[in-house]
Every structure is written in structure tokens, then in C-alpha cells.
Amino acid sequence: MSTIHLAGFPRIGAKRELKFLLERYWKGEIDDGALHAGAREQRQKHWLLQKGAGLDISPVGDFSLYDHVLDTQVLLGAIPRRFGFDAATLTPAQYFQLARGNSTQHAIEMKKWFDSNYHYLVPEWHADSQFGANPEPLLQQVREAQALGIRSKPVLVGPLTLLWLGKCKGGDFDRLRLLPALLDSYRTLLAALNEAKVDWVQLDEPILSLDLPAPWLAAFADAYAQLGDSPLRILLATYFGSVARHAELLHALPIAGLHLDLVRAPEQIDAFVQGWPQQRVLSAGLIDGRNIWRSDLDALLTRAEALQAQFGAQLWLSASCSLLHCPFDLAQEDKLDQDLKSWLAFAVQKLNELKLLKRGLDQGRAAIANELAASNFARDQRQRSPRIHRADVAQRLAALPAGSDRRASPYPVRAAAQQAWLKLPLLPTTSIGSFPQTADIRAARAAFKRGDIDANSYEQAMQQEIALVIAKQEALDIDVLVHGEAERNDMVEYFGEQLDGFAFTEYGWVQSYGSRCVKPPLIYGDVARPQAMTVRWALYAQSLSSRPVKGMLTGPVTILQWSFVRNDLPRQEVCRQIALAINDEVLDLENAGIRIIQIDEPALREGLPLRRDDWDAYLAWAGTAFRLSAAGVDDSTQIHTHMCYSEFGDILPAIAALDADVITIETSRSDMALLRDFAHFAYPNAIGPGVYDIHSPRVPSEQELENLLQKALAVIPAQRLWVNPDCGLKTRGWPEVEAALQRMVRVSHRLRASLQATV
């Protein structure tokens, strides 16, 4: 009989139950006991759902109250020492302080999980880091699963991946020096799991899809030689790319199973067929764990049959990676177009696809003949649908002349033209775009969606919020204003709702970090802009102030990266379609008198392929798409872009090639370390390094802000330095926002006066 399993399941619940549980706890509405009880209830629902769907082995430890990488740090006694907490006695309040910061310590730095849209909390390593296994939190989940009759497979971040993902603190050193002590903690953890009657453990090593230095590759043999002594059977899981070039290394490891992502890299299986170790499990990731399109069951069953012929009973079937990256259940989508719905599969539906593949393998194709016919019908209907392809969009792209993505003049010429009318002071202050999405804003939006208020009443409510935001910014004496984005539910969803080729769900939420969930659009067809999307809001805001107001747009690469993208067209072609739609909006804003326009691209770096050999091609088409979105504007129109939670040092030529007049970046959590890269590269345009962390409720002191700005001034000429938070303020409350911005402006004014006095 075939075996089906998962690497992970969505934590947030069918209707974001985990999000609301966490936020009630943070507000003080429930205590530790209620938090743990609610989390336990969610975990058990998910396990029983998987059991009911026929899953043979369920993941345990994939359910986290904030982040699975942080959880692994806790299990190994590897939490950041600067907090002064003991992992073995860590309370829920302390756990969330690690993730969100407290009055004395900023939160652990966040970074995107490989090329996904999930954020993990970055481990902090010191040359003398100490470890101590703390298995009880994981054992508790194992016992819960066993009590339900669930055959469980604990899932942990593997030791080499955990080390690689971390950052050196207190000076640079070779992180591999920490591996022996770290492995001792892993061995203790595995021994505790063995005593708990666990037979399989999954160790995730996705860094094998990266370009690893030779010492790191060599470390796998030593590390797994030590871990292989455990009676537990280890399933080493790789995903997000091919590991074919490491086939010889992986063949030699003393592991009981290997998981391969055969969606991202289907061809890699050829490297593993010859010489496959006897009795070793091959876990074939055939179901797409990163997208929402229904599988072609006929084609997948054919592949599974071929794999079964090669690997026999040692074949396991799974999704390509954890289903953390997928929405929960398509069955909830009562309002979705039925044709489109028939093309989709969320996490629950992917469970069913695995179940069908298992039945087809074990009982023959006749056992799932009806399901195969339904899958084939949906596939054929999608391919033939006239809703997908538009001749006018294809013709517009084909007619673009060479160089159409370039500004008319170089940056110094543009900067002079912009300053001639802006007349901004040194160290101009601004914010990134959004201001707090209050309960009143959310209530008005929900009432409008329900039909309780009409469009005119909704617009008036949003105008009141915009007027409030403009008044508060003027009172704070901010130089370049924003309208606050009260009307926007999400920086991608808002635009997708107004573009052709996009569709939306009611419950298609996925976790971004902690309680932060996003509901990505579905790009199913060719993209075009029927009408202006932001102009009236920007014009209304500008009518309230004599100070410049930025037009706020989301860039084409970010819209692409933060959507579920059609899989029947190259991504770069979809991105260029989006770029032209955004360019229509840019030109309309400019024609309406909005002469500072921010085109946010926070997702630019996260779209990088995992292997460097593929970077140049991606950066070329991504850069072209961004420049197309800003093409045709006058020299005096200032184009901003924003990027957050990314390391840019290795792609700075591509960032500079975007040719934005001003780039704002996240630097507060990294203590301005990112600016060293910009300084070494001699970045030519203006920069606004974020001076405080908006993902934490903590309000920074003026001294902290001044220290960061002094570091910035050491590497960026004052004439090209802007002052701003590191990201939008949507998730924060007004009291902390006003306090932080007031301090930011005071520090900017103080430094400005000092600089002017020295001229």
C-alpha cells in the first residue's frame, strides 16, 4: 500500500482562528491557559481533518503560535541571549516578546523564508553560543496526536539550515564552529522523541537548493553521521528547488528517507534513480504546495505509477512542501465564480488529491475513473476559456519600442528639476504609505461589502479618515505627506480587485508572520486596467494640504509575487502585463497633478531564484517591469520605491538599475547594517533608511533614532538622505504612531539645523 504524508499544514485555521486567538491574548482578553487551550483545539482539528482525509502520517510541530523557526530555536535552547530568557522556562509572554519586542529589546529580525511570502524570525549566533535541548513543547504535541490515534511525524528545521539562516552577532565568525554543540541538542531532542514512541522525524534542509559553499556541503556528512545514530528514522526534506547536483552526497547520508520537490524541479528525480539505497523511502512531492491550481490528476497518476515501478513500496507521496503557503479550504468559497472554482485546490483539496493518487496507485485507475474524468474536464475547460487570453494585451506588449522602459534624463538632471518645485529641506521626512487601519475603518469597509451602506456613504467615511491623516501629518510637521490608504484592505488585493485578469476569495488567507495574514489575489488571465484606481483618493488628499502628497501604488513585481499566479504563462510575461497596467495609473496621477509617486516593490528580492545562475535573467525582467511601470513621466515627477526585510548587498547593481529617484528600505532591526552595502556600492540616488521598526509596538527613543540617522549620515550625503519609518503603519495604533513620528521629526529637525549650521 502507498503511503501519503505532509510536511506541514496551514496553522491559521479555516477562518483565521489562530489569528484571532493570538490577538485576544495580546490584548489581555485571555490568559495563558486559554491561549494554550485554543491552540490545542486548533491542532487537534487539523490532525483529525488529515486523518479523515486518509493521511497515513501527519506532521507534528508544524503548528506554531508565531513561527516554526523560532520554535526550533526554543526546542534547542538557542533563543537570542540579549533578552535574558531561559528557553526551558519560557513563558508565552516571553515567547511573544522575542517575536514582537519589548521595552528594552527590539524584536528578532524577520526575513522571508527562501523565495516564499512567509517571514521567519532570524536566529542570532554568537561565537560562544550555548545550546540546551528543551523537548517538552514538542513532546506535548506528540502526546496530543497519539491520544487521537494519529501516527505522527515531528517536523523540525534541520541543523545546517538553522545555522545557515541565522546571523552572526558580536563580530563575524564561522557559524559551522557551532555545529558540534548544536548537534548535541538535536541528538538529545531525537532521543526524547524516541522515548515517546515516535518512529519518524522530518528534518527540513531546504538550503540544499541554494548555492552552498563547499564546507557547508561537507558538513552534511558529519552532521547526519551523528544524527543517524538515533533509532529514529530520519526523513531529510528538501524543497523549493533541485538538489540533483547533491545526489551523490545525499545517497551517502545515513538517513531513512529523502523528500524531493518534484513540482519546482521534476527533472531532478533522474539523478536519484540509479543507486538508490535499499529500504530508503523516497518521498515524492507531486502536489504543488505553493500554488492554488487544481492538479492534473491523470498526469500525476502517470508519474506516480512510473515512480512506483522504480521505488516500489519505498515510495511515499506528498505535496512539494508544507501547505503553510496555501489557503485552507476551497469549499468555503460560496461566492467564487464556479468555472474558476473548478480550476482550484486549496490545502484541504490537496489532501484529497493525495488521497486519490494513493487510491489510484493501490487499486488501479478504474477506482478513481470518475475523479480522473472530472480533473480532465476542468483542465480542458480552463485551457479553452475565452476569459484567459486577450488579444489587446498581447498586442500592446508586442508593440513596445526598444528603450520604452527608460526615463528621459539621468538622475542628477531629474533631481534638480524635482527640487526646483519641491523645495524640500535637508533630511525631508515622510512615511511609507499606510496609517493605522482603525476599527472604524474596518467597520465601514465591512458595512460597505455587506451592502449596509452605499458607495457614497463609504466614500465619505474614507474621506474623513484621509482628512484626519493629513491633519495629523501636518501637525507633526512631516514634509511629504501620504493619504494613509484607509480605503485599501491590502496593498496587493486593492489593486487586483480593480484589474482585469484577477479574482478574489473570501477565505483564501495565508500566514505572512505571527497573526498577520494576507489574502493573495488569483491571477487567472491577461491583466489590464479598465479605469483609474487611486487618482480620486490622491487628489482629495492633495486638496487638503499645500505640502506634496505622494501617490501610492504597488509595483508589478510585488503584485506578481504576492499573488497566486497562473501557471500557463511565463511569470515574466504576466509581470510585464501588470507593469503596463500600473503605468496607466502613474501617468493618470501625473496628469492630475500628483508629482511624487511611490511604486512599492518590497517583494523584488524575494523573487530571486534560489540559485545564482538564474539571478541575472530574473533581475533583468523584474527591472524592466518596474521601469515600465514608471515609464513616460516628466523629469520633475519624482518616483519613489520601497523595499523591506531584504538583504540587497549582492544585487545592488540591479537595485540601482531600477533608477527610482528615492528608495526607502528597512534598516532599523539590522541597526543600519544594510547601509554598509549601499555605501560600498556608492548608490547614486536618494535613500530613506527606515529609522524605526513598525512591526513592533515599541516606540523608539529620540536617542535611538538619532544614533541610526548619524550612522546613515556617515555613508549617505545629507542631500540624498530621507527620514522615514521602515514600512507602512497599517498594523499599528495611533498613540504609538504619533509618538514615534513626533520623535522622528524632532530628531530630523535637530540634525537638519546642525547640518545647516556647518554649511
Side-chain angles (χ1 to χ4, degrees):
M1 300 290 288
S2 304
T3 297
I4 55 175
H5 75 111
L6 287 179
F9 198 70
R11 308 161 184 158
I12 59 174
K15 294 187 177 177
R16 294 182 292 165
E17 290 89 345
L18 178 60
K19 169 188 174 65
F20 301 122
L21 179 71
L22 292 176
E23 291 177 354
R24 288 183 64 203
Y25 178 78
W26 295 336
K27 292 175 184 176
E29 296 175 359
I30 59 174
D31 60 13
D32 290 1
L35 173 69
H36 284 306
R40 182 168 57 250
E41 180 182 358
Q42 279 298 109
R43 285 194 296 268
Q44 294 181 359
K45 281 183 181 178
H46 298 175
W47 287 327
L48 292 173
L49 177 64
Q50 294 166 40
K51 184 178 181 181
L55 211 65
D56 296 299
I57 307 175
S58 289
V60 170
D62 59 321
F63 184 95
S64 172
L65 287 176
Y66 204 97
D67 169 49
H68 63 283
V69 180
L70 175 59
D71 290 358
T72 304
Q73 295 174 60
V74 173
L75 290 170
L76 297 165
I79 58 177
R81 64 168 61 169
R82 58 188 170 85
F83 284 86
F85 299 155
D86 181 353
T89 59
L90 196 70
T91 66
Q94 291 173 332
Y95 174 88
F96 292 122
Q97 287 176 53
L98 295 172
R100 306 174 76 226
N102 58 30
S103 60
T104 61
Q105 295 293 329
H106 59 78
I108 299 175
E109 184 178 349
M110 284 197 302
K111 189 177 178 182
K112 287 298 180 74
W113 177 248
F114 296 84
D115 60 351
S116 77
N117 292 329
Y118 175 78
H119 298 73
Y120 74 93
L121 292 166
V122 179
E124 297 177 9
W125 306 131
H126 295 262
D128 59 348
S129 285
Q130 303 293 311
F131 305 99
N134 172 42
E136 184 54 34
L138 184 57
L139 293 176
Q140 176 60 40
Q141 293 193 36
V142 167
R143 290 191 288 266
E144 290 173 16
Q146 290 172 336
L148 295 172
I150 304 292
R151 185 184 178 193
S152 63
K153 168 173 56 69
V155 177
L156 298 167
V157 180
L160 275 304
T161 292
L162 188 71
L163 271 184
W164 179 269
L165 293 177
K167 282 193 171 182
C168 295
K169 298 292 182 178
D172 200 17
F173 62 93
D174 182 4
R175 284 166 288 171
L176 286 175
R177 286 166 33 197
L178 302 177
L179 185 58
L182 180 61
L183 289 174
D184 285 344
S185 282
Y186 271 95
R187 287 165 60 87
T188 301
L189 195 58
L190 296 184
L193 290 171
N194 182 60
E195 290 182 11
K197 309 302 182 185
V198 169
D199 56 349
W200 280 93
V201 64
Q202 178 178 312
L203 297 182
D204 288 356
E205 296 284 11
I207 62 167
L208 284 164
S209 296
L210 306 177
D211 294 310
L212 290 178
W216 283 80
L217 287 173
F220 272 89
D222 293 337
Y224 280 85
Q226 294 188 50
L227 298 180
D229 289 343
S230 168
L232 276 179
R233 288 180 282 183
I234 295 174
L235 176 70
L236 190 152
T238 69
Y239 40 82
F240 298 160
S242 173
V243 296
R245 62 197 181 283
H246 305 315
E248 184 177 351
L249 166 67
L250 290 168
H251 274 317
L253 295 183
I255 54 177
L258 176 67
H259 174 80
L260 298 176
D261 181 341
L262 298 182
V263 175
R264 279 286 186 91
E267 74 290 341
Q268 68 175 315
I269 189 62
D270 295 338
F272 292 93
V273 173
Q274 296 300 322
W276 186 255
Q278 241 183 1
Q279 303 305 312
R280 176 179 291 181
V281 162
L282 173 75
S283 170
L286 296 178
I287 304 291
D288 193 346
R290 291 279 296 270
N291 215 331
I292 43 72
W293 303 104
R294 182 173 182 167
S295 297
D296 181 344
L297 276 181
D298 205 331
L300 284 191
L301 182 55
T302 298
R303 292 188 64 199
E305 289 167 340
L307 289 170
Q308 189 180 56
Q310 294 168 322
F311 297 97
Q314 301 308 111
L315 176 68
W316 288 10
L317 300 178
S318 187
S320 59
C321 60
S322 170
L323 297 181
L324 166 72
H325 311 287
C326 287
F328 199 92
D329 187 4
L330 183 65
Q332 301 179 103
E333 302 298 334
D334 296 331
K335 298 178 182 178
L336 198 61
D337 174 89
Q338 289 302 305
D339 284 345
L340 177 58
K341 187 174 179 179
S342 72
W343 305 340
L344 305 178
F346 292 177
V348 170
Q349 287 67 46
K350 291 176 187 292
L351 276 176
N352 188 56
E353 289 179 339
L354 276 175
K355 177 182 178 180
L356 291 172
L357 284 179
K358 174 184 171 73
R359 188 162 18 125
L361 278 184
D362 293 346
Q363 301 175 29
R365 285 176 171 264
I368 59 169
N370 291 338
E371 290 86 352
L372 288 174
S375 174
N376 292 339
F377 178 79
R379 177 199 63 206
D380 295 343
Q381 184 197 49
R382 181 184 173 202
Q383 290 174 348
R384 295 193 306 266
S385 174
R387 303 167 60 188
I388 291 180
H389 301 290
R390 288 181 50 162
D392 60 327
V393 174
Q395 289 165 3
R396 184 180 179 189
L397 280 172
L400 287 174
S404 58
D405 60 324
R406 300 290 176 176
R407 296 288 293 272
S409 302
Y411 169 74
V413 174
R414 302 196 312 261
Q418 292 156 17
Q419 183 61 13
W421 75 270
L422 279 171
K423 296 181 174 57
L424 291 172
L426 284 175
L427 309 184
T429 53
T430 190
S431 64
I432 301 306
S434 60
F435 270 86
Q437 290 266 318
T438 63
D440 287 344
I441 292 173
R442 293 193 296 270
R445 185 182 299 123
F448 179 51
K449 284 191 172 183
R450 290 193 306 268
D452 295 345
I453 60 175
D454 60 19
N456 184 58
S457 298
Y458 175 70
E459 183 133 350
Q460 288 179 0
M462 295 302 101
Q463 287 181 345
Q464 289 175 3
E465 295 294 339
I466 291 171
L468 173 70
V469 166
I470 294 295
K472 284 182 178 291
Q473 290 174 92
E474 287 198 322
L476 289 163
D477 201 15
I478 291 175
D479 298 304
V480 174
L481 313 185
V482 297
H483 79 289
E485 304 179 11
E487 80 286 0
R488 303 185 190 183
N489 45 5
D490 176 82
M491 67 181 293
V492 172
E493 183 175 357
Y494 174 79
F495 291 97
E497 285 177 335
Q498 301 179 77
L499 294 170
D500 290 342
F502 284 73
F504 289 85
T505 62
E506 285 189 273
Y507 303 106
W509 298 97
V510 292
Q511 185 181 26
S512 177
Y513 61 87
S515 70
R516 170 70 171 155
C517 301
V518 294
K519 188 153 56 70
L522 320 180
I523 305 178
Y524 68 87
D526 287 344
V527 178
R529 187 200 70 148
Q531 59 191 15
M533 302 178 286
T534 67
V535 175
R536 76 183 191 278
W537 302 113
L539 283 180
Y540 176 71
Q542 187 63 81
S543 73
L544 301 173
S545 179
S546 60
R547 303 183 186 212
V549 175
K550 286 191 287 189
M552 300 299 305
L553 304 173
T554 303
V557 178
T558 297
I559 291 177
L560 181 88
Q561 288 294 128
W562 292 357
S563 299
F564 290 117
V565 183
R566 58 192 294 188
N567 58 1
D568 63 335
L569 203 65
R571 289 175 69 86
Q572 56 264 42
E573 187 171 342
V574 179
C575 197
R576 290 204 305 156
Q577 292 179 1
I578 301 169
L580 292 183
I582 296 299
N583 184 242
D584 290 341
E585 190 72 13
V586 167
L587 296 178
D588 278 356
L589 283 167
E590 182 185 54
N591 290 335
I594 303 298
R595 306 303 291 274
I596 302 182
I597 302 170
Q598 183 170 308
I599 307 172
D600 287 341
E601 286 290 21
L604 184 83
R605 195 190 192 285
E606 75 187 40
L608 276 174
L610 296 181
R611 298 199 62 194
R612 284 179 178 264
D613 288 350
D614 302 320
W615 282 18
D616 289 347
Y618 163 77
L619 289 170
W621 65 253
T624 296
F626 177 84
R627 291 190 299 272
L628 275 176
S629 70
V633 298
D634 190 79
D635 284 352
S636 62
T637 295
Q638 190 174 79
I639 298 295
H640 291 225
T641 191
H642 171 67
M643 299 177 185
C644 57
Y645 298 105
S646 290
E647 295 175 348
F648 301 113
D650 44 8
I651 61 166
L652 273 175
I655 300 296
L658 298 177
D659 201 23
D661 298 303
V662 181
I663 180 174
T664 51
I665 52 175
E666 179 278 324
T667 54
S668 61
R669 284 198 178 192
S670 60
D671 196 31
M672 291 282 175
L674 180 59
L675 283 184
R676 289 196 295 268
D677 295 327
F678 281 82
H680 294 154
F681 176 73
Y683 185 78
N685 299 6
I687 305 178
V691 295
Y692 80 89
D693 174 21
I694 66 86
H695 292 89
S696 169
R698 180 175 172 271
V699 176
S701 69
E702 289 189 25
Q703 188 61 55
E704 289 177 64
L705 296 171
E706 183 164 344
N707 289 343
L708 290 174
L709 279 172
Q710 291 286 10
K711 290 183 178 183
L713 283 165
V715 297
I716 302 170
Q719 293 77 12
R720 291 193 281 115
L721 181 63
W722 286 62
V723 181
N724 45 261
D726 65 10
C727 202
L729 301 164
K730 173 181 177 179
T731 60
R732 302 270 56 92
W734 269 114
E736 67 196 75
V737 163
E738 290 186 273
L741 290 179
Q742 186 178 60
R743 293 176 183 180
M744 184 188 82
V745 171
R746 278 203 298 259
V747 170
S748 175
H749 286 182
R750 190 159 61 241
L751 290 176
R752 182 185 301 166
S754 175
L755 289 166
Q756 289 169 338
T758 62
V759 175

